[in-house]
Amino acid sequence: MTALWTGSAPLLLASTSATRRTLLESAGLPVETRASGVDERAVEAAVEERALGPQNLALHLAAEKALAVSRAAPERIVLGADQVLDRDGIALHKPDGRETARAQLQSLSGRSHALHSAVALARNGELVDSFVETALLSMRPLSDAAIEAYLDAAGPEVLKSAGVYQVEGVGIHLFDRIEGDHSTILGLPLLPLLAALRRLGHLAF
């Protein structure tokens, strides 16, 4: 445990995301990770008729992940998180290959889009808090040659990201303007998360 954390057990992250774990540990929080087992595409299909927009979809997915792990880990405080890329009200997902990645970058080129990063906290199988933060990103116009050069430079790792970029790496070259907290862009808005943990009595100050 760290001096900051007052919980009896580490924060349980319902994800195996190395980026999210690093963000939490950098903030001095003890973290354990556990895959949620939630099939995101299946959840999306089940709620499609409810016409959730991208922002509410992010919240819904974060809650499903937190609750799935919380039911199996009673008494633990569980953190679920999800991020949805919103292009004019349409949610974009992680590409399934280079062709899809190329098409996504072409659709985002020269336009602005939103990243909705949602967090849900659960304990004993019930939600105790949830919220979503949004960042706005403007991608500069990209030629087909520039997209191919970027995909070569970025490598297959970017296929794990909706929008086909990681701004903490070479993906930063794609943008001419970014508005929003850096941790929100990385998929885990730290300031509101720390405020929520403070309200729940899990932080020393």
Side-chain angles (χ1 to χ4, degrees):
M1 300 297 173
T2 70
L4 292 172
W5 184 252
T6 60
S8 58
L11 179 65
L12 186 53
L13 175 62
S15 167
T16 56
S17 165
T19 299
R20 289 188 175 113
R21 178 167 189 155
T22 298
L23 283 169
L24 292 167
E25 290 177 338
S26 296
L29 303 183
V31 184
E32 293 177 359
T33 62
R34 185 178 301 182
S36 69
V38 170
D39 184 336
E40 296 179 30
R41 300 294 83 79
V43 171
E44 289 177 18
V47 300
E48 186 175 2
E49 292 183 2
R50 291 162 54 185
L52 290 181
Q55 191 174 49
N56 286 329
L57 176 60
L59 275 168
H60 184 74
L61 288 168
E64 288 293 308
K65 294 174 184 179
L67 291 170
V69 172
S70 181
R71 294 183 190 107
E75 306 303 326
R76 298 289 296 273
I77 185 73
V78 178
L79 165 61
D82 197 81
Q83 187 179 65
V84 173
L85 189 154
D86 177 356
R87 187 199 65 202
D88 298 329
I90 299 172
L92 297 188
H93 305 299
K94 298 172 186 176
D96 56 10
R98 186 171 175 123
E99 184 176 345
T100 307
R102 183 186 301 112
Q104 282 198 9
L105 288 170
Q106 289 170 339
S107 76
L108 295 171
S109 172
R111 302 172 62 179
S112 296
H113 64 269
L115 281 179
H116 304 299
S117 292
V119 165
L121 294 167
R123 185 168 46 210
N124 294 324
E126 295 184 357
L127 287 180
V128 293
D129 207 342
S130 65
F131 56 86
V132 62
E133 294 287 314
T134 298
L136 299 176
L137 297 88
S138 298
M139 191 173 287
R140 60 192 184 87
L142 301 170
S143 67
D144 289 344
I147 289 174
E148 294 303 323
Y150 165 72
L151 290 173
D152 288 340
E157 188 69 17
V158 293
L159 299 181
K160 299 178 182 178
S161 170
V164 206
Y165 57 80
Q166 295 167 325
V167 297
E168 66 273 28
V170 296
I172 195 65
H173 291 275
L174 300 176
F175 298 95
D176 54 24
R177 186 176 180 84
I178 293 176
E179 302 173 55
D181 184 82
H182 187 63
S183 63
T184 295
I185 296 165
L186 295 184
L188 188 65
L190 275 179
L191 291 178
L193 171 60
L194 294 175
L197 291 172
R198 211 169 283 121
R199 288 193 299 272
L200 293 169
H202 288 290
L203 294 179
F205 65 90

